Amino acid sequence: MLIPSPATLPLRRLTRRDLTACADLSEDRGWSREEYKWRFLLTVGRGYGIDDPDGGGLIAACVVTEYGTGERTALGAVGMVLVADRYARRGIGRRLMEQVVTDAGGTPLTLYATPNGRPLYEKLGFGVVGRAEMLQGRFVPEEHGSAVRTRAATAEDLSSVLRLDAEVFGTDRTSLLVRLPSFADLFRVAEADGRITGYAAAWPNMDTHVVGPLIARDTGTAKALVASLAAGTDRPLRTDVDVRHAELLGWLKERGVARIHATDIMVHGAPDLPGDWRRRFAPLTVAAG
C-alpha cells in the first residue's frame, strides 16, 4: 500500500457522528471500544481526525478538552491520541499533535502519556510534571465505616461543587462538570460543618465504574468518597491516582483495587499544572485531564 506523506494528509474536526469510527480506531489499536466515553468527549471537547485516503475510516484521532472562563482558554487537556496500527511509525501521530499544539496558540496543554507516547510528546516540547497509577479491582469495604459524612449530590450542590473544583483544579471546568450528573451513575459529596469538602463520581466504562473526578480536602475524605461510591455498585472500580497520594494508593490496593500500569503527566507551555494537587486525587478520565 502506498502511504502518502503525513504532511499531505488533511485533518478535520470530529463530531458525535464519528463515534463508531473512533471506537473502531480504539479497537484497531487493541483498546476497548469505550463508546460511552468517546461520546462524552466528543460532546465536551474538540475532536481531531485524519481519514484513511483509501476510505478505511479514521487512521488517527484525538480530543482536546478546553477549560477556562468566557473567551479565555486557560488549559487544554489532550486525550485519546490514536493512530491506526497499519499507519504506525510513519509520522501520523506527530502530524496530529503538531496541529493540536499550533491550534492551542500558546495555551498550556496537558496529557497523560504512556511509555510509547512519551518520546513523541517530549520532541514536541512537553515536559513531565507528575505521574499517575491506574488501578482496577473489586473494592473490599472496611469493617468500620468512615466518620466523614458523604451523601448523594443534589442539583443545589452544583454551584458549591463548581467553586470548589475551580479552586482545586486551578481553572474553570463548568462546561464539563454541568454534564457530570447525567454522565455518571453515582455522584456524591462530602460535608463538614455544613460545607462541601469534596466530591466524586463513578461513571460506567465497559464492565467497570471509573472513579473520577475525585476532589477532597484530605486523604480521609477521599477514602470516604471512594468507599461510598463502591457501596453503590457491584462492578469493579477503576481509577487513576496521582502517585503523590501514596496513602490513598496504598489503601486502595489493600482494599483490592490493584495497580495496572502508570502514565506520565505532561505539560506543554507551562512549568506545571495549575491548582492544588494536594486536593486533586483523580481526574474524571486521563483523556480529559
Side-chain angles (χ1 to χ4, degrees):
M1 177 175 58
L2 180 62
I3 306 296
S5 166
T8 67
L9 292 172
L11 275 76
R12 66 175 178 87
R13 294 291 173 85
L14 301 178
T15 72
R16 284 183 293 176
R17 291 190 296 273
D18 296 297
L19 174 61
T20 299
C22 290
D24 288 345
L25 182 58
S26 291
E27 199 167 51
D28 175 84
R29 290 315 306 255
W31 293 16
S32 299
R33 291 183 64 84
E34 297 186 310
E35 292 188 30
Y36 189 72
K37 180 168 73 173
W38 269 113
R39 182 180 293 108
F40 181 76
L41 292 170
L42 291 172
T43 299
V44 301
R46 184 172 68 248
Y48 289 80
I50 299 177
D51 292 310
D52 188 339
D54 294 328
L58 289 171
I59 63 168
C62 72
V63 181
V64 180
T65 308
E66 297 178 335
Y67 304 116
T69 56
E71 297 299 318
R72 180 177 176 271
T73 301
L75 180 69
V78 186
M80 308 303 282
V81 182
L82 284 163
V83 177
D85 186 61
R86 63 191 182 280
Y87 278 84
R89 296 173 295 279
R90 297 181 183 273
I92 307 297
R94 185 182 185 104
R95 162 87 172 100
L96 188 69
M97 287 301 302
E98 284 176 341
Q99 190 63 54
V100 168
V101 171
T102 297
D103 288 355
T107 296
L109 297 170
T110 184
L111 54 78
Y112 286 70
T114 64
N116 287 338
R118 176 173 165 174
L120 168 63
Y121 304 133
E122 288 178 326
K123 290 175 184 176
L124 295 172
F126 284 81
V128 175
V129 297
R131 193 164 174 81
E133 283 192 15
M134 176 184 283
L135 304 99
Q136 182 174 314
R138 291 196 175 274
F139 182 87
V140 179
E142 295 179 300
E143 292 185 10
H144 304 289
S146 171
V148 176
R149 179 174 182 264
T150 71
R151 60 170 174 80
T154 68
E156 288 72 27
D157 296 321
L158 186 57
S159 59
S160 296
V161 167
L162 290 173
R163 284 194 297 271
L164 174 62
D165 187 80
E167 179 184 329
V168 174
F169 192 74
T171 188
D172 187 271
R173 290 198 290 179
T174 297
S175 61
L176 181 143
L177 295 180
V178 294
R179 294 177 170 89
L180 190 57
S182 60
F183 177 67
D185 285 344
L186 301 164
F187 185 9
R188 297 187 64 84
V189 296
E191 280 187 321
D193 301 320
R195 183 171 61 89
I196 290 177
T197 58
Y199 80 92
W203 52 273
N205 189 40
M206 309 305 290
D207 61 347
T208 69
H209 265 122
V210 178
V211 174
L214 175 56
I215 300 290
R217 71 175 181 181
D218 53 36
T219 303
T221 302
K223 290 179 181 180
L225 284 165
V226 172
S228 69
L229 292 172
T233 178
D234 59 0
R235 298 186 184 191
L237 298 185
R238 177 175 155 186
T239 191
D240 296 86
V241 176
D242 188 313
V243 296
R244 290 173 290 191
H245 293 296
E247 183 181 346
L248 180 65
L249 282 169
W251 177 80
L252 285 167
K253 293 169 185 175
E254 289 173 0
R255 307 257 61 79
V257 188
R259 181 186 188 274
I260 299 175
H261 62 74
T263 52
D264 291 312
I265 306 169
M266 306 187 78
V267 172
H268 183 282
D272 204 343
L273 288 170
D276 181 3
W277 71 265
R278 294 167 298 180
R279 291 181 287 167
R280 186 176 60 235
F281 289 83
L284 183 146
T285 165
V286 295

